[in-house]
Amino acid sequence: MTRATDFEQFRPLLFSISYRILGSVTEAEDAVQEAWLRFEASPTEPDSTKAFLSAIVTRISIDVLGSARVRREAYVGPWFPEPLLADPYQDPERAAELADSVSMAALILLERLSPLERAVFVLREVFDFSFPEVAAAVGRGEAACRQLASRARRHMQDGRPRFSALRKEREDLASRFFDALSQGDLAGLQELLAADVAMSGDSGGNAPRLARSIVGADNVARLLASVFPWMARIDVTSEPHEINGQPGAIFRDRDGRVLHTVTLDVLDGQIQAIRLVVNPDKLGHLGPVADAWAVDRELRQARRL
């Protein structure tokens, strides 16, 4: 087996580790590519290719996250991860757990952790690496890694997201939601939203955004029912899609370019949170990106007529 073939075997795992640490598709892809270059240049054959590559991509991701966190402190408005349409790493026995760990809610919660805590948590709690493997990956002793893992678990437990266990239930509810959205069905939207539902958007200052987070079923439903039907009138379309392991949709302008994504957190038969990623810098990996400012101007003009 060549090194290239050996590397490709572990590429899905490496990307999935890096994405959970970084919350960025583009940065995770860059980290995986850098891991390949270091693997290709290594003069020795590792005892375990998986352990060797996992350690490389983890350390690269920790370094990248350190500088990324400085940028996020100055970020305009809420910061959300880059939308992920499909996690390449598959483990049928742990599919539900892996999907939850890549959700928007979980990745936002991981932002509370230090880069090292985040890496240890991802390797140990998500991918079930042994403590010796974790220690080798992050360059710390086993005792220190156990402390880091314990501290990370405590930080995560209180806010750990919960989702509906039944995928079909989530999909059915999402289908009803987007139907009601396109029709401007106020009553239908109110029925689907939890009383304390929150809707927020990530524009990074690069696209029109919500002035603030909108909270409450009535407030959210009224805003959605008043805006989204007008978007359909200017030929904005929605494409249902699982995003970050949860139900959602990609919205496109009349030319098929990506305008924004919407993801839904579903629990107990209702939508608990709605998150929009509008920042064009976070949408390029999904395809050509729309001019959100131009669409917003057209929408405002249509509503005035």
Side-chain angles (χ1 to χ4, degrees):
M1 182 180 293
T2 65
R3 280 201 170 184
T5 303
D6 211 9
F7 180 84
E8 289 304 318
Q9 176 185 350
F10 295 105
R11 181 185 289 272
L13 172 64
L14 302 180
F15 174 86
S16 296
I17 290 172
S18 186
Y19 177 76
R20 285 167 172 81
I21 294 174
L22 294 170
S24 166
V25 172
T26 51
E27 288 177 344
E29 289 174 342
D30 288 346
V32 172
Q33 181 61 23
E34 177 63 23
W36 157 246
L37 294 175
R38 295 188 190 184
F39 179 49
E40 184 183 35
S42 175
T44 60
E45 288 295 331
D47 293 333
S48 168
T49 302
K50 175 185 175 182
F52 182 79
L53 290 172
S54 298
I56 291 177
V57 84
T58 296
R59 294 184 187 188
I60 292 170
S61 299
I62 290 172
D63 289 343
V64 173
L65 183 59
S67 59
R69 288 171 73 91
V70 174
R71 296 194 301 273
R72 290 172 194 175
E73 288 175 0
Y75 197 80
V76 177
W79 177 91
F80 295 158
E82 288 184 9
L84 180 68
L85 299 189
D87 186 357
Y89 180 72
Q90 302 295 324
D91 183 346
E93 293 184 0
R94 303 177 63 246
E97 184 179 352
L98 287 169
D100 285 356
S101 70
V102 82
S103 70
M104 289 271 181
L107 293 173
I108 291 169
L109 194 58
L110 279 169
E111 285 291 298
R112 299 180 182 181
L113 307 181
S114 71
L116 199 56
E117 288 172 338
R118 187 164 179 164
V120 169
F121 184 87
V122 166
L123 293 174
R124 176 62 182 168
E125 302 297 323
V126 178
F127 293 99
D128 201 28
F129 278 48
S130 68
F131 275 112
E133 290 173 325
V134 174
V138 301
R140 295 292 190 276
E142 287 185 42
C145 288
R146 290 181 186 275
Q147 291 179 346
L148 287 165
S150 177
R151 190 158 60 238
R153 280 194 299 270
R154 287 198 302 272
H155 284 305
M156 294 289 289
Q157 278 173 350
D158 291 341
R160 196 173 184 87
R162 296 186 300 129
F163 304 105
S164 170
L166 299 177
R167 180 170 181 170
K168 187 176 186 307
E169 177 185 333
R170 297 199 307 264
E171 292 174 347
D172 289 347
L173 192 147
S175 178
R176 291 165 56 201
F177 171 80
F178 287 113
D179 284 345
L181 192 65
S182 64
Q183 297 165 16
D185 181 357
L186 178 61
L189 288 168
Q190 289 171 326
E191 178 185 350
L192 298 173
L193 301 175
D196 59 349
V197 64
M199 181 172 72
S200 50
D202 173 349
S203 75
N206 297 324
R209 67 182 179 97
L210 299 173
R212 55 184 174 78
S213 180
I214 310 300
V215 179
D218 188 60
N219 293 332
V220 172
R222 289 186 182 280
L223 178 61
L224 293 174
S226 67
V227 173
F228 278 80
W230 285 100
M231 294 178 69
R233 296 188 188 188
I234 62 170
D235 301 321
V236 171
T237 58
S238 64
E239 173 188 311
H241 209 296
E242 185 174 89
I243 299 174
N244 286 80
Q246 305 302 319
I250 301 171
F251 282 72
R252 301 180 183 274
D253 70 4
R254 62 166 54 90
D255 296 318
R257 295 172 298 188
V258 178
L259 181 61
H260 63 255
T261 63
V262 174
T263 56
L264 309 174
D265 289 355
V266 176
L267 181 67
D268 297 331
Q270 291 186 307
I271 295 168
Q272 308 290 327
I274 303 170
R275 296 185 178 87
L276 290 76
V277 176
V278 192
N279 187 345
D281 294 343
K282 295 186 175 184
L283 301 172
H285 62 286
L286 303 179
V289 179
D291 182 343
W293 295 108
V295 172
D296 183 63
R297 288 192 296 271
E298 186 177 0
L299 177 62
R300 291 176 184 274
Q301 178 65 26
R303 296 181 73 182
R304 282 196 295 267
L305 296 178

